[in-house]
Amino acid sequence: AQSVTQLGSHVSVSEGALVLLRCNYSSSVPPYLFWYVQYPNQGLQLLLKYTSAATLVKGINGFEAEFKKSETSFHLTKPSAHMSDAAEYFCAVSDRETSGSRLTFGEGTQLTVNP
Amino acid sequence: DAGVTQSPTHLIKTRGQQVTLRCSPKSGHDTVSWYQQALGQGPQFIFQYYEEEERQRGNFPDRFSGHQFPNYSSELNVNALLLGDSALYLCASSLGQGRWGYTFGSGTRLTVV
């Protein structure tokens, strides 16, 4: 069974500081990996996804993530936080070998950006 | 190009009642998945519909059922509502059962009182 662990349910950074949101996965086969963002009272918006091409994936809004197989990690980073980045972030995994694979989500990390 | 549309946006039901939630997928998508997101938690997979059949199911009781129509839209039905069914219900659409990613709707907030 696949699983995702997001370290830190709450992360607080200052505007302009580095954002680092941690995600570790467990999967018996090489997975697809995703980061989604959720603003209050809204659905999920895809930030980026890893599907076995380059291990460093660039997404929207200046975010990027690096797939590290040896560490089973897919941490999300942004060099300089903006107030508009305050939201909840979810890491998710799916099984690339299974047609119709479901997404398995982590518990989420609430990002607060302080002025 | 409209994305995933869900209706209604909010709903209040009484324990024991039945509810139907609706989802129209993004144009060009043929697969619909439903997720339940309880407050403060990540979304959990309920089931997926493709070619009008349930293809996968998560760990949810039979009180949760669904349907997909020929135009790819979908319904989620929940019978005998419990207080614990209160959550945000998210619909996600995709092409070809999700190999190329999912597009999520804004969800239906269900409150059971």
Side-chain angles (χ1 to χ4, degrees):
Chain A
Q2 298 174 313
S3 65
V4 172
T5 301
Q6 292 185 239
L7 300 176
S9 58
H10 292 83
V11 170
S12 181
V13 301
S14 298
E15 189 174 20
L18 171 71
V19 175
L20 171 60
L21 304 182
R22 301 178 186 273
C23 171
N24 288 88
Y25 69 91
S26 173
S27 176
S28 58
V29 297
Y32 290 137
L33 293 159
F34 306 82
W35 275 99
Y36 284 88
V37 62
Q38 186 175 37
Y39 297 98
N41 300 314
Q42 293 189 26
L44 301 174
Q45 180 183 8
L46 180 66
L47 282 176
L48 48 81
K49 61 184 177 183
Y50 167 75
T51 57
S52 83
T55 56
L56 182 61
V57 182
K58 294 187 182 299
I60 63 172
N61 301 338
F63 285 93
E64 62 182 35
E66 185 173 7
F67 172 69
K68 292 186 177 180
K69 184 178 179 180
S70 61
E71 298 177 8
T72 61
S73 68
F74 191 57
H75 302 331
L76 181 71
T77 61
K78 182 174 180 178
S80 177
H82 191 273
M83 296 296 289
S84 61
D85 294 328
E88 182 124 32
Y89 292 79
F90 292 95
C91 182
V93 62
S94 72
D95 178 0
R96 68 172 61 190
E97 300 297 330
T98 303
S99 178
S101 183
R102 68 189 69 178
L103 289 172
T104 300
F105 287 88
E107 291 294 305
T109 297
Q110 181 69 47
L111 176 65
T112 300
V113 182
N114 301 308
Chain B
D1 179 24
V4 177
T5 303
Q6 292 188 242
S7 64
T9 55
H10 295 82
L11 201 54
I12 300 175
K13 288 287 189 178
T14 303
R15 189 172 48 184
Q17 286 189 314
Q18 179 264 345
V19 67
T20 297
L21 310 181
R22 296 176 175 82
C23 173
S24 293
K26 181 179 179 179
S27 178
H29 285 182
D30 59 6
T31 304
V32 172
S33 302
W34 287 92
Y35 289 81
Q36 180 195 65
Q37 186 179 18
L39 197 62
Q41 297 184 20
Q44 293 196 343
F45 176 77
I46 302 175
F47 43 53
Q48 182 186 80
Y49 277 84
Y50 174 67
E51 294 184 334
E52 301 181 49
E53 292 189 11
E54 184 181 296
R55 299 292 178 166
Q56 285 194 74
R57 188 177 184 90
N59 188 26
F60 279 81
D62 292 344
R63 298 187 296 109
F64 289 77
S65 64
H67 188 76
Q68 185 178 37
F69 299 93
N71 67 353
Y72 307 121
S73 66
S74 177
E75 290 182 347
L76 164 65
N77 301 292
V78 187
N79 295 321
L81 284 167
L82 303 174
L83 296 180
D85 295 331
S86 296
L88 180 67
Y89 288 84
L90 296 165
C91 172
S93 75
S94 57
L95 178 64
Q97 296 182 272
R99 283 195 181 278
W100 294 278
Y102 297 84
T103 300
F104 281 82
S106 296
T108 294
R109 173 71 64 185
L110 172 65
T111 302
V112 182
V113 297

